[in-house]
Amino acid sequence: MSNGYTISLWSLSLLLSVVALGLMSALILRRAFNDRAEERREELVAAGTREVFRAMEGDAAAADVVRACNGRPIVLTERVLEIAALVRGPDREALSVLLEQLGIAAHLHRQLKSWRAALRRRAAERLALFNRGETIMALTAALDDRSPHVRLAAAVSLSELGKPPAFDRLLKQLSVGAEFRSATLRVLFRKLAREQPIPLLATLRRDPPSALKVLLIEALGKSGRYGMEEVFIHYCRDPDKEVRSEVLRSLASLEHPAILQLAARRLEDPAWEVRLQAATVAGRARFTSLIPAVSRLLDDEVWWVRFRSAEALVAMGEAGIARLREVAGEATGRAGEAARLILMERRVV
Amino acid sequence: MKAIDTLQAYGWLTPVAETLAAVVIAVGLIQVLVYLVQLLIAASALSRNPPEKRSLALWRRSSEVTPPIAILVPAYNEQSTVVESVRSLLALQYPVFEVVVINDGSRDATLATLIDAFRLAPVTRSYESSVAHAPILGLYGSPEYPRLVVIDKANGGKADALNAGINLCRAPLFCAVDADSMLEADALLRAVQPFVDDPIRTVAVGGAVRIVNGCSVRRGRVVRIDLPRRLLPLLQTVEYLRAFLMGRLAWERLRALTLISGAFGIFRRQVAVDVGGYSRATVGEDLEIIMRIHRWMLDRKVDYRIHFVPEPVCWTEVPEHFRVLARQRIRWQRGALETFFRYKDMLLRPRYGRIGTLGLVHMLIVDVLGPPIEVLGYLLLPLFWMFGLLHPDQGLAYLAVTFTFGVFLSIATLILEEMELQRFSRPAHLLLLTGIAIVENFGYRQINNLWRVVGWWQFAKGVRHEWGEMTRSGFKKLDDSSRLST
């Protein structure tokens, strides 16, 4: 090992250690200073918050809040946004106007341009409070953000503000069903289905990819709106088992008359996930005419199907419980065990 | 002088000494470079994605779609702490979850304590025996605590207990914690975010583990963060920061994370079942199951992710006594070696991607080769230097990789923590930890390597996997919010 190399290692390690020590010392001093500043800041936040509540009741104005915060209303951002999350109706509207006057909306607009995706996402979520043209424009622009989470947050906020973008454009921007599969998409789709179900229904009619189909069926099913059931029924034989399961779930939540026949057919579905869903639906809807078919699933090869079928029979009331007692008494093996265990677990032996 | 002359007369000793020194320095340097890269990656990751400060925002964002979680709590001889632990778990802020305590054949009154505290009675719960474990002796529940299930089983070890919990739980995810772990109220909500953001690919998530020694605890929650008063846990404080904040975060970003702490990790239940549950044939079951998941997924070419989230915090008690710490570190080393050699055929094979090239190579250098080479260096290099067989500059290089680079890395981790997370409550804490970060490299690190060599020796001898006893100090009572075990 050459002398120059080894000396460099030693010098480098010393240099790095000294630099790190220096930086750490600076951070310790900064913390010491900031701790004092933080105490003062907390006092300003407390005083500012009191003025915010007074302003919401009409006893103070934005200028009073600014004065209480020593001219720095931005310190109130976290606190007032938490308050905003808890209020609704006229209080929320009043708070929104106040926060605009305090410059907090503008602060969030600036954060929407941060280089940090996490901050942009946060800002996009919080801007749902401000139903103003400038905010709508900023959120619409955020639909082209490089981060899919930011795009999704912007879309959710826009839909909360009653200004969702065109659905086809949204699908493309979010790459729904392709690369981006966040569970939060369900939250967005449910909001859209409640407010504007028609474009979702139109998309569903076009036989989209399975992942998108599941989202659409789930959202439309939860919307509680009627008139789309025949589209769901069309997909009850879809090759994708998740689609078939979701069709059952959604039709059951809409209490559609066809669900009985569909559930009966799906109790013999080749996919266990669909059989399980069919049994669950039969139990919740108390389809006692399906007791024999559900009972046969007590001997299913998949434990989860056996378990949910047993639960379904309990949910069907006395008739289902009576059937369970019969199976528990007569059958051996999987079916008997499934019946016995659920009766003991539910204490209906 | 005579001795030096004698040694130098053996001309072949000098090149031997220099070669050995070169090897020791090279291995040390490689480790330093690896840690440096980890530091840079972790710094980048934290600055790009600072953790969400307010969990309310997470709740609003995702509580509608967060999946149910079963918290599995293996307990062995935990009578002094189990009730507080369970109470704090039951109070977690998460939409849908259950707590499954597995009493693993405790010899103390763990089960009786639980029955008494929660008014438990025998219950029946059907379950599928998907993974193997020692027999279950009874199940307990209470209508007053519908989220709590207690499994009483024959002793089989931690992995065995977790397997019983996996069988009994019904949620799609389970969270494995230690019985003495204290999760922050929003820990589940934070740790579950990768499952929300990427539900198809995410199979496991690890959270950060911090040291509760010295902190003030009230009703199973850390209400005030303080530092331990004793030196040993203080040293571990810096060590844990380096391991979690720097190491795990960096490996996660490189998609080569090979370990989720057994104190706090969330797994997709079906994946754990698919790979056969936790291995009962190792003391490093937390490391082993991650490697098994990697192999299983890569063999089947499944697109998957294992994440680490730095902000959801689990607080855990660390050993305060030398012997207990030594046992722990020896056990960890045995676990690392058991796992490495079990999966050594994945090493450098393209089929296993970054796990085979980065993850396992890292284990080879740091866990397998590193400790014996470093210890050899401690023993021989000073002697060589004293007897003039080594050039002074080589000695300096050795000091650099053994001590001063370590000082830099430890302090740099503290810098990262202060710039991005600011978990320590006072500047005096930072000052003390800075001192500890220096001291850590002069003795503590070296002793750790010695223990790891002992672990190597035990592994080579085929010593049976055993956990040994952890000396528990217990939690202080609620009212005085006093410090935990100093």
Side-chain angles (χ1 to χ4, degrees), chain B residues 87-106:
Chain B
R87 279 199 209 285
S88 76
L89 290 172
L90 287 170
L92 288 174
Q93 291 163 6
Y94 192 77
V96 181
F97 70 98
E98 64 176 354
V99 176
V100 181
V101 182
I102 309 107
N103 177 47
D104 191 45
S106 298

Side-chain angles (χ1 to χ4, degrees), chain A residues 59-82:
Chain A
D59 295 335
D64 298 311
V65 179
V66 172
R67 202 174 312 117
C69 298
N70 238 9
R72 293 163 47 213
I74 298 301
V75 302
L76 290 176
T77 303
E78 298 295 326
R79 185 68 57 86
V80 294
L81 287 173
E82 278 184 13

